[in-house]
Amino acid sequence: MLPEWVYQKCPDVSAVHREAAIARQAQLTKPTGALGRLEQLAIELAGLQATEQPRAARVPIIVFAGDHGIVAQGVSAYPQGVTIAMMANFASGGAAISVLARELGSTLEVVDAGTLAQEAMGGVVTDKPRSGTRDFSVEAALAPAELAFAFEAGQRAVARAEATKPDLLIFGEMGIGNTTTSAAIAASLLAVSAEEIAGSGTGVDAAGRAHKARVIDAAIARHGVAGAAPEKILCAVGGLEIAAICGAIIAAAQRRIPVLIDGFIVSVAALTAARLNLSCQPFLLPSHQSAEQGHRLVLRALNVQPLISLDLRLGEGSGAAIALPLVRSACALHNGMATFAQANVPDRPKAR
């Protein structure tokens, strides 16, 4: 169903560079563990990047956009036309992620992976098999060939970014209705009820959230995808931008490029990618825990701990972008601090 490259093994973490990073952390002019999780972050990056000097300077941001047929069931607080309008906002520099990209010195690419837009838009890469998914409450969201195309679109986006020799990548998303789609994917992967996963998304009230959960549970039962293979789940209830992010995550990991994972929707894509190709999981660096209800369960399934928790629920890659300075600080401290020997500072007494 999916291209063969999706299942090809990603590089192993470099044990040599990871152990060297651990040794260096032990020699820096600070008490052991004094920089907390920043120390571990630098060690992880050294192993992932296979380098003695982990880096987070060049970090392109790619936002994938798509529309969702499930919106016809009244699951979103915003009309579907917002997706296309926001794509234009990204491209013109007015969106939150546009501002953050400028602040971080990161490039921003916007990919129409499956919106309802019928014409090409300036500043947007169009790479989609169809305009929007089908309403998964009544039929499968995607045909197998459409799903495969979306994965290839994600791989193509990574190939374009690779030309800049990135240290990390950030993926974002935009698509009215995509919290419903993500909740359906997560509930299927984890074999739990939508009540445990579905959140407020763009701001639906309690009644709206309950309606969303009922729609999701009915669709999962209709398609019989609770606990099913990821490929089957994505065809049944998936989204084109989410599938593109899955492909992009795997393609990045295969190129030894770590990915700073954003909030609920990108985390669901990351969980799906890890279920498809477990070897990509070490390259997933969680940025934050969002306010979306199901994010905690997805992070737990990935067995990761996010760097920050600021009650964000915007998407777009914004949470990952906000966390990036922490990653840069971890690298700067690891690479730039003096050792006890260099600073002529007495080290801890050696244990006898």
Side-chain angles (χ1 to χ4, degrees):
M1 181 182 295
L2 292 174
E4 289 185 8
W5 65 263
V6 171
Y7 307 100
Q8 292 174 358
K9 191 177 184 300
C10 302
D12 292 325
V13 175
S14 172
V16 170
H17 290 97
R18 190 178 187 279
E19 290 302 317
I22 292 172
R24 176 168 174 78
Q25 282 289 333
Q27 298 165 16
L28 298 180
T29 47
K30 58 177 176 56
T32 301
L35 288 172
R37 291 181 57 210
L38 294 184
E39 296 182 12
Q40 189 60 38
L41 182 56
I43 291 167
E44 289 179 20
L45 273 176
L48 293 171
Q49 295 175 337
T51 180
E52 293 184 2
Q53 293 195 315
R55 307 170 304 273
R58 294 187 298 274
V59 186
I61 301 170
I62 306 171
V63 176
F64 297 89
D67 275 309
H68 300 260
I70 194 65
V71 169
Q73 301 305 317
V75 294
S76 175
Y78 284 85
Q80 200 158 33
V82 170
T83 302
I84 297 174
M86 281 302 297
M87 273 203 308
N89 195 26
F90 294 143
S92 65
I97 193 59
S98 310
V99 173
L100 289 167
R102 289 196 297 272
E103 186 71 15
L104 295 167
S106 294
T107 59
L108 174 63
E109 178 176 277
V110 183
V111 179
D112 180 353
T115 77
L116 295 176
Q118 298 301 302
E119 298 179 356
M121 299 175 61
V124 175
V125 176
T126 300
D127 195 1
K128 59 186 178 184
R130 59 177 286 118
S131 296
T133 57
R134 301 169 186 85
D135 180 352
F136 67 66
S137 70
V138 297
E139 60 182 321
L142 294 166
E146 294 163 349
L147 179 65
F149 188 105
F151 269 73
E152 298 277 16
Q155 185 192 49
R156 286 189 285 271
V158 170
R160 290 191 296 273
E162 189 180 20
T164 66
K165 298 182 179 179
D167 301 318
L168 302 168
L169 285 170
I170 289 174
F171 301 130
E173 42 62 40
M174 176 62 212
I176 295 301
N178 66 4
T179 57
T180 300
T181 297
S182 298
I185 296 169
S188 299
L189 286 171
L190 301 176
V192 300
S193 72
E195 176 62 30
E196 296 183 60
I197 295 285
S200 298
T202 51
V204 297
D205 59 16
R209 193 186 74 80
H211 169 67
K212 181 193 291 191
R214 287 193 297 271
V215 168
I216 293 169
D217 281 335
I220 291 173
R222 178 189 182 95
H223 297 294
V225 290
E231 299 92 335
K232 184 176 180 181
I233 291 170
L234 288 173
C235 279
V237 299
L240 287 164
E241 81 278 33
I242 297 167
I245 294 170
C246 288
I249 287 170
I250 293 170
Q254 288 171 339
R255 290 160 168 78
R256 200 181 275 284
I257 306 171
V259 180
L260 192 56
I261 300 297
D262 193 44
F264 176 60
I265 295 160
V266 176
S267 294
V268 169
L271 177 61
T272 309
R275 292 287 178 90
L276 286 165
N277 187 335
L278 185 60
S279 67
C280 78
Q281 185 156 348
F283 290 86
L284 309 178
L285 304 177
S287 63
H288 75 112
Q289 180 173 314
S290 79
E292 192 68 12
Q293 177 173 313
H295 196 199
R296 174 181 53 82
L297 293 179
V298 175
L299 291 172
R300 182 187 300 168
L302 282 167
N303 194 30
V304 293
Q305 183 179 2
L307 291 172
I308 58 175
S309 180
L310 297 175
D311 294 331
L312 304 171
R313 56 182 182 88
L314 176 60
E316 304 179 5
S318 58
I322 288 168
L324 178 58
L326 287 176
V327 183
R328 288 176 168 172
S329 293
C331 293
L333 289 163
H334 182 84
N335 299 330
M337 284 183 68
T339 65
F340 284 102
Q342 288 170 334
N344 198 28
V345 172
D347 197 352
R348 297 169 293 278
K350 303 298 180 183
R352 293 183 180 180

